[in-house]
Amino acid sequence: MVGMSLLRSAAAFAARLGPLKAGNNAANIITRTIPRTDKVAIRWGHGKKLFVVKPSDFYDRRFLRLLQYYILLTGIPVVVFVTAVNVFIGEAELAEIPEGYEPEHWEYYKHPITRWIVRNIYDSPVKDYEKMMAAIQIEKEKADMRMTQLEVRRQMRQTGDGPWFQVPTLDKKLIDHSPKSSPDN
Amino acid sequence: MPKDFNKEAYPEPPRQTPVVDKQTALPNPALILSKVFYYTVDLPVTTFRDTIDSVRSKNKLVYYHQKFRRVPDLTECQEGDYPCYYEAEMQWRRDYKVDQEIVKVVQERMRACQQREGNSYQQNCTKEIQQFHEVTKNFQSRYGDLGAYASARKCLMKQKARMMAAQAQSA
């Protein structure tokens, strides 16, 4: 008890010596805890907050953010549209061709978007077939004409009685026969 | 499987549900689990499907399988008649695709049979196995090593080689 009063008077004396020093308050000079600088935090939430030195990831994160944005800008409407088509219109069902009925060329496909594309954007397969056959026919006629031209060339060169391979020569009326008519000139 | 599959080709195995002979008062865990599965998974999925179908049933679309007319074969074309060659080639390609699908169907039947019979498949599915062997042998002999650039001409030449080999063997 005496020691306690001695300590208290010592604390008052120390407070009197340095009143401006922080922590030298007479009230708590005995009862204050010694500050431990290695274990500072009062609540153990996420540990000590550190400033981690690492290279900037701003550009990477910006790239990923912009990528996400531009993909989703058209991605989400497309997904919503396709889902709506699948839910509200739905795929076609297989059926037998009724008697005497010629189905249109898009009625051979199942998904409604495929049907729309085939109906409005693509040509009908009959038309494609005919286009191909027309191209083949034109090429065949060209090849036949080239073959006949080669044959005609050959014939005309050989027989010589056609309009091709005629070599222009002088007119035979220009020949002066006078030195040939009298042999001993 | 689609609803209109061939019932003779895929016969259903006889049901083997045992007679219930409960001798304890304890609840059957398999029954409990199946009921739980039904109420948590089966019922919501079925109701969802039914709602979507009721929305869809207003505009019902149908599609058909196209039937193609038969055109003259490669053997019936004049020489140098390239449009005829083209039509024969397209017909041959369609027939090739159809034959590939036939082989797939026969293969599927054999696999279904093996799955059904379990460990005794070799003696119980002789018909399917024999059909599969026959179909694949024919497919191999006709379209076998034609490769990726197969055409009607190459197939015809292969047939000619086959006929020549058969003649050489029989002579």
Side-chain angles (χ1 to χ4, degrees), chain A residues 86-98 101 103 107-110 112 115 125-126 128-129 132-133 136-137 140 144, chain B residues 3-4 48 52-53 55-67 71 79-84 86-88 90-91 94:
Chain A
N86 278 338
V87 165
F88 292 107
I89 299 183
E91 292 188 339
E93 278 174 353
L94 190 53
E96 287 294 325
I97 302 180
Y101 175 61
E107 286 176 9
Y108 294 116
Y109 295 91
K110 196 158 65 164
R115 282 166 84 108
V126 176
D128 280 339
Y129 198 81
M132 189 64 175
M133 298 258 277
I136 290 174
Q137 180 70 16
K140 173 185 187 294
D144 286 343
Chain B
K3 283 185 271 292
D4 54 348
F48 179 70
I52 302 279
D53 274 341
V55 169
R56 268 204 216 170
S57 62
K58 292 187 198 71
N59 14 11
K60 263 267 164 267
L61 298 169
V62 280
Y63 76 107
Y64 311 103
H65 279 329
Q66 190 166 10
K67 288 191 177 27
V71 286
E79 183 170 338
D81 187 5
Y82 294 99
C84 185
Y86 177 73
E87 293 208 56
M90 287 294 119
Q91 181 176 262
R94 288 194 291 269

Side-chain angles (χ1 to χ4, degrees), chain B residues 24-74:
Chain B
T24 69
L26 293 173
N28 188 1
L31 195 64
I32 293 174
L33 279 175
S34 71
K35 281 219 159 4
V36 161
F37 178 79
Y38 176 73
Y39 284 113
T40 52
V41 175
D42 203 350
L43 210 52
V45 168
T46 321
T47 43
F48 179 70
R49 177 72 196 246
D50 286 336
T51 44
I52 302 279
D53 274 341
S54 67
V55 169
R56 268 204 216 170
S57 62
K58 292 187 198 71
N59 14 11
K60 263 267 164 267
L61 298 169
V62 280
Y63 76 107
Y64 311 103
H65 279 329
Q66 190 166 10
K67 288 191 177 27
F68 290 92
R69 280 204 301 268
R70 298 302 294 185
V71 286
D73 216 2
L74 201 54

Side-chain angles (χ1 to χ4, degrees), chain B residues 79-139:
Chain B
E79 183 170 338
D81 187 5
Y82 294 99
C84 185
Y85 288 179
Y86 177 73
E87 293 208 56
E89 174 76 33
M90 287 294 119
Q91 181 176 262
W92 180 85
R93 285 215 186 149
R94 288 194 291 269
D95 290 340
Y96 189 24
K97 271 209 152 60
V98 166
D99 286 337
Q100 283 170 341
E101 292 297 319
I102 289 174
V103 170
K104 280 185 201 166
V105 165
V106 166
Q107 199 180 26
E108 185 64 37
R109 281 191 195 175
M110 192 180 77
R111 284 165 65 191
C113 185
Q114 189 266 332
Q115 173 72 14
R116 262 202 318 272
E117 306 291 338
N119 279 333
S120 60
Y121 67 94
Q122 247 161 345
Q123 75 193 69
N124 283 357
C125 333
T126 43
K127 257 210 316 286
E128 272 88 357
I129 293 177
Q130 190 249 335
Q131 194 183 36
F132 175 72
H133 280 315
E134 199 182 303
V135 163
T136 45
K137 195 161 69 74
N138 292 341
F139 186 86

Side-chain angles (χ1 to χ4, degrees), chain A residues 15-65:
Chain A
R16 186 113 54 74
L17 280 180
L20 294 172
K21 272 211 198 116
N24 257 350
N25 203 350
N28 65 349
I29 204 159
I30 293 172
T31 54
R32 70 180 172 196
T33 51
I34 303 163
R36 306 284 307 273
T37 45
D38 53 344
K39 297 194 200 144
V40 170
I42 296 171
R43 282 182 291 280
W44 286 101
H46 290 273
K48 179 173 173 184
K49 230 169 112 98
L50 300 169
F51 180 76
V52 177
V53 180
K54 57 183 198 285
S56 161
D57 60 349
F58 170 74
Y59 299 101
D60 299 331
R61 282 190 297 121
R62 182 182 70 176
F63 169 71
L64 292 171
R65 206 171 62 233

